[in-house]
Amino acid sequence: MDRRAFFRKSVAGPAAAAELDFLPAQTAPGAASGEEETVSKFANRALPDTARATGTLAAYTGPWGAAQAAHLLRRATFGPTRAEILAAAGKSLAQVLDGLLAVPATPAPPVNGFQNDTSVPVGQSWVTAPFNNDFEYWRLRSLRAWWMGQQLQSPTLTEKMTLFWHNHFVAEFDDVFESRYAYRYVALLRRAALGNIRQLAKDVTIEPMMLRYLGGNQNRVGAPNENYGRELLELFTVGKGPLIGAGNYTTYTEADVQAAAKVLTGWQDSRDNINGFYTDSRHDKTTKQFSAAFGNKTITNQGDQEYKALVDLVFDQPSTALFLVRKLYRWFVYYVIDADTEQTIIQPLAADLRQNGYNVAPVLRKLLGSQHFFDVQNVGCVIKSPLDAVLSAARQLPVSLPPASDVLAQYGVWDWLVDRATVMQQKLGDPPNVAGWPAYWQTPEFYEMWINAVTLPRRNQYTDQLIDAKGYTRYYTGGNYKLLTDIVGWVQALPTATAADPNLLVGELVRLLVPVELTANQLAFLNDTLIPGLPDFEWTVEWNAYLAAPTNATKKAAVDTKLRALTRQLMGLAEYHIS
């Protein structure tokens, strides 16, 4: 498979060129000089030129309440509930960041949640079972479902960062097709999610999933495989600086790729032991010479420890910290990095990352707790990824999810959520290529790539399914489970006066589901959706009538129908799809 075919294009438009002068990471990784990409006539041809945030990395000291808490939680988790927002608003920003950066207990491994895998009993883990090609498809579905379940239940930064590292140190499940390797890989990313990036780079280098994915298991003396060495430099660490010659950049050269490949010779993967292992006879024991980009340094033979010297060498380069911080910024804040942002945010954070020995938690604390992060320009400027869209709806709506005791139902529903994100073009475990999802690197479209003629209807169909009064039935081998959404109970849990007043009610749901203020016309439209053509007091009367007789099916159906219509319209707004 030619993993780099998709790179042979240039995606930088005229307006992006000026930014690329000092932001080389924004070029399409591996783009060849002079080549052009065919871009849809409807796509952005230039980066937005609206004024960007001017806040600094100084600690945020402005107003702190539900709006600010919601902004932070939307970016740090997969859709905060109203209870989580109010709980965060009742604490200080420092306390909320402490909670988000807390490392949760290691979750129990995935189990067989599908009767189709007959090699392992339902409810029993397969992560150390013998490889069985006949059931790998189902085990990978089990892993994806379990991973989705972790994201659905997570109140901390760990899961958002686990996904970030998956998009950074990419390995594709379907490509490798080894569920035990895939589980080890995800477990590694989760353990390291808030930890040391340098150590993660070392660990992932000899992880069996990565050895198999990028051909490291075929890399041996006399026949070096350059795949991983190239991606380590171009996509995982130093990135591509300005082009200075054929295949050579200010940050690395072709000779550096070749030297890195030699350093990494000797490693293979073992299906029997489910690990990576080193064979000395396959290792190139010559001295590896690196270019001026790396200070003309050399790496001598160090056997099975030599790969660590390579990782240390690339992490000693200032460009590595800059490259990583830019990716974190685009993940949590916004995709446009202008000259001011580069100078006042990216460079200081990169210096902090190096000063902290590449421990990521202090950098995340500073970024997410900064004036810049809470600047109004950075609120509601991110288009939700498909995973964000799927998970936030399932978390924020009062959806009845299966209990852990019903393994088939739980995995069946989690599997459906994976499928919903997949049809919206983000398949968990399978970014489209080694560079990750293009929405985080392809200029000038970036996040806008998530919304198109295929994905937008899928998003609306999904939320409509959750809101439907009849519920959504998930069928699976061995049974079915109906997801029901208690919209009336959801509204009844609001303060009494809020639930009874149509304007207060609309405002409350807007604040939960939408990150920006709506216009007066939009609010009036939503009000009219709730009580079409009627004065406000009609809702108060109808709601109080239901409260007076909650077991009366007619009265309950009357308010339930109106509330579902309101929720459907609200989740159909363009503003609902931003974070």
Side-chain angles (χ1 to χ4, degrees):
M1 176 183 178
D2 184 356
R3 299 188 189 284
R4 304 188 65 76
F6 72 99
F7 284 149
R8 301 190 186 110
K9 59 190 177 184
S10 174
V11 297
E19 185 175 0
L20 298 183
D21 288 342
F22 60 89
L23 290 182
Q26 194 148 306
T27 2
S33 177
E35 296 180 349
E36 295 184 359
E37 178 196 32
T38 300
V39 179
S40 166
K41 64 180 180 179
F42 300 108
N44 272 356
R45 298 305 178 95
L47 290 169
D49 58 3
T50 53
R52 289 301 308 132
T54 57
T56 70
L57 286 172
Y60 176 71
T61 56
W64 177 255
Q68 292 75 29
H71 171 57
L72 175 58
L73 296 181
R74 284 189 183 102
R75 300 293 177 84
T77 67
F78 292 99
T81 64
R82 182 173 182 273
E84 288 169 341
I85 292 171
L86 294 179
K91 301 175 182 177
S92 69
L93 172 56
Q95 290 172 322
V96 176
L97 289 171
D98 285 344
L100 289 171
L101 289 164
V103 178
T106 301
V111 300
N112 177 19
F114 303 93
Q115 289 188 338
N116 309 71
D117 182 356
T118 56
S119 68
V120 177
V122 169
Q124 180 174 310
S125 184
W126 43 260
V127 299
T128 58
F131 174 81
N132 190 323
N133 192 66
D134 292 339
F135 301 112
E136 283 305 295
Y137 170 79
W138 291 103
R139 292 179 183 179
L140 287 174
R141 280 184 68 167
S142 163
L143 175 58
R144 288 190 183 91
W146 170 83
W147 191 358
M148 179 67 80
Q150 304 311 309
Q151 294 172 341
L152 187 63
Q153 300 171 73
S154 175
T156 74
L157 261 166
T158 292
E159 290 301 328
K160 210 63 175 283
M161 282 300 295
T162 301
L163 186 64
F164 172 84
W165 292 124
H166 173 47
N167 185 62
H168 181 73
F169 292 110
V170 174
E172 299 173 59
F173 288 9
D174 284 346
D175 233 37
V176 176
F177 207 65
E178 225 294 7
S179 56
R180 303 170 307 167
Y181 285 12
Y183 168 67
R184 269 191 54 130
Y185 160 76
V186 174
L188 169 62
L189 301 183
R190 180 175 287 107
R191 286 196 307 273
L194 299 172
N196 189 276
I197 308 173
R198 185 195 298 255
Q199 185 59 50
L200 173 57
K202 292 177 180 178
D203 293 340
V204 83
T205 296
I206 59 170
E207 187 63 23
M209 181 77 171
M210 188 62 77
L211 288 169
R212 184 77 65 85
Y213 178 61
L214 288 179
N217 60 342
Q218 302 168 14
N219 190 12
R220 65 185 187 276
V221 61
N225 184 307
E226 297 177 3
N227 281 357
Y228 185 78
R230 185 177 302 280
E231 311 308 6
L232 176 67
L233 300 179
E234 180 176 331
L235 298 177
F236 301 164
T237 57
V238 295
K240 286 172 62 175
L243 187 68
I244 58 174
N248 297 333
Y249 304 88
T250 55
T251 47
Y252 73 90
T253 68
E254 280 297 305
D256 294 323
V257 171
Q258 294 160 9
K262 291 178 181 179
V263 168
L264 297 167
T265 52
W267 288 92
Q268 296 169 273
D269 63 282
S270 168
R271 272 186 167 160
D272 291 336
N273 298 316
I274 321 177
N275 68 352
F277 69 96
Y278 172 81
T279 301
D280 191 65
S281 63
R282 292 170 60 94
H283 182 60
D284 187 318
K285 299 178 177 62
T286 63
T287 297
K288 292 80 179 178
Q289 177 69 56
F290 289 82
S291 74
F294 294 92
N296 295 311
K297 291 186 177 179
T298 59
I299 294 180
T300 56
N301 177 43
Q302 299 174 44
D304 64 353
Q305 299 300 300
E306 193 170 331
Y307 74 96
K308 297 179 182 178
L310 172 62
V311 173
D312 286 336
L313 176 63
V314 295
F315 272 79
D316 284 344
Q317 308 307 306
S319 53
T320 295
L322 288 166
F323 183 74
L324 291 167
V325 167
R326 290 185 192 119
K327 292 195 75 170
L328 287 167
Y329 185 88
R330 291 196 171 101
W331 190 261
F332 285 107
V333 187
Y334 191 49
Y335 62 78
V336 174
I337 301 176
D338 60 17
D340 183 67
T341 303
E342 175 73 10
Q343 182 177 1
T344 62
I345 306 298
I346 302 301
Q347 292 179 11
L349 278 180
D352 283 353
L353 184 60
R354 286 167 59 82
Q355 186 176 350
N356 282 287
Y358 282 96
N359 288 308
V360 74
V363 171
L364 291 174
R365 179 184 291 275
K366 177 169 281 191
L367 177 62
L368 299 179
S370 69
Q371 292 176 1
H372 183 83
F373 179 78
F374 287 98
D375 189 294
V376 66
Q377 293 292 331
N378 286 328
V379 176
C381 62
V382 171
I383 294 176
K384 292 178 185 175
S385 71
L387 283 167
D388 254 324
V390 167
L391 288 160
S392 62
R395 296 192 86 244
Q396 294 182 316
L397 291 175
V399 182
S400 60
L401 296 169
S405 57
D406 191 342
V407 175
L408 288 177
Q410 186 175 63
Y411 273 71
V413 169
W414 289 345
D415 180 63
W416 177 65
L417 296 179
V418 171
D419 181 68
R420 293 304 84 202
T422 299
V423 298
M424 297 175 198
Q425 299 179 357
Q426 190 177 27
K427 185 176 182 180
L428 185 61
D430 283 278
N433 47 58
V434 70
W437 286 289
Y440 299 106
W441 60 262
Q442 184 161 301
T443 187
E445 302 98 323
F446 285 101
Y447 312 147
E448 292 187 3
M449 299 185 73
W450 292 131
I451 304 293
N452 56 53
V454 173
T455 61
L456 184 56
R458 297 296 191 194
R459 287 175 178 240
N460 293 334
Q461 289 165 7
Y462 167 67
T463 52
D464 285 352
Q465 286 173 317
L466 291 182
I467 296 166
D468 195 304
K470 293 179 291 186
Y472 175 77
T473 301
R474 173 60 171 169
Y475 294 95
Y476 48 84
T477 305
N480 63 79
Y481 183 84
K482 179 173 284 191
L483 289 97
L484 295 168
T485 305
D486 183 9
I487 295 290
V488 172
W490 189 44
V491 171
Q492 198 167 350
L494 299 175
T496 303
T498 299
D501 185 309
N503 296 302
L504 294 178
L505 172 58
V506 167
E508 190 68 27
L509 297 186
V510 165
R511 282 188 289 275
L512 172 64
L513 300 176
V514 176
V516 295
E517 291 186 6
L518 299 184
T519 66
N521 285 342
Q522 286 176 307
L523 294 173
F525 168 76
L526 293 172
N527 181 296
D528 194 56
T529 300
L530 181 67
I531 44 172
L534 298 174
D536 290 351
F537 74 83
E538 290 289 354
W539 170 255
T540 306
V541 170
E542 198 163 9
W543 179 252
N544 286 334
Y546 158 70
L547 292 180
T551 59
N552 185 302
T554 301
K555 295 183 184 298
K556 182 174 183 179
V559 295
D560 183 76
T561 300
K562 292 179 174 62
L563 290 171
R564 289 184 192 277
L566 168 63
T567 308
R568 182 177 292 107
Q569 288 286 14
L570 180 52
M571 299 179 88
L573 295 177
E575 289 83 355
Y576 172 72
H577 296 281
I578 59 176
S579 170

